[in-house]
Amino acid sequence: QVVLMESGGGSAATRGSLTLSCAASGDFFPRYYLAWFRQAPGKEREGVAAIGNIYFTRYADSVKGRFTISRDNAKSTLYLQMNSLQPEDTAMYYCAADFSPLIVDGRRWRTPAYWGQGTQVTVSS
């Protein structure tokens, strides 16, 4: 099994920044396909950013140019750097992992096999 644990959530002002981290268990971290998802109350869960095992990245249009996903294989950690935050970014953020690609056909997001507990991000207007 793969255990994921997020940290770094909190409150920020509009145009502020936050960095989320996700520590992962297991000896196969370099092989993981990783992603960040988010869900706001009353809204559907959406994919935010994804990174492959050879560091190919993809972003939702709503965060492109503002968020950066990265990974440190030596630390078995996934990151999400969030800049220029907007109130619409307020949501519970989850890291996720799988051993297969998480985006197929260039646009379709698969449901990952492993999830963290989530960390709340709140952006004030």
Side-chain angles (χ1 to χ4, degrees), residues 10-19 66-67 80-87 89 121-125:
S11 299
T14 298
R15 302 188 66 180
S17 298
L18 287 172
T19 300
R66 300 188 297 118
F67 291 9
L80 184 68
Q81 176 66 49
M82 303 184 293
N83 298 324
S84 301
L85 285 164
Q86 305 168 2
D89 295 318
V121 171
T122 302
V123 183
S124 61
S125 60

Side-chain angles (χ1 to χ4, degrees), residues 57-79:
T57 60
R58 185 162 295 170
Y59 299 90
D61 289 342
S62 60
V63 307
K64 190 176 299 183
R66 300 188 297 118
F67 291 9
T68 301
I69 187 171
S70 62
R71 64 194 295 169
D72 187 336
N73 288 343
K75 297 181 178 180
S76 296
T77 301
L78 173 73
Y79 302 96

Side-chain angles (χ1 to χ4, degrees), residues 36-50:
W36 290 95
F37 290 77
R38 68 185 182 186
Q39 186 168 25
K43 298 183 179 180
E44 295 183 349
R45 182 182 63 206
E46 64 174 339
V48 177

Side-chain angles (χ1 to χ4, degrees), residues 26-33 52-55 71 73-74 76:
D27 295 328
F28 301 99
F29 184 86
R31 295 182 58 194
Y32 297 167
Y33 293 84
N53 57 4
I54 55 172
Y55 306 157
R71 64 194 295 169
N73 288 343
S76 296

Side-chain angles (χ1 to χ4, degrees), residues 86-103:
Q86 305 168 2
E88 292 74 25
D89 295 318
T90 296
M92 184 72 73
Y93 284 71
Y94 302 88
C95 66
D98 211 320
F99 288 99
S100 297
L102 293 172
I103 299 177

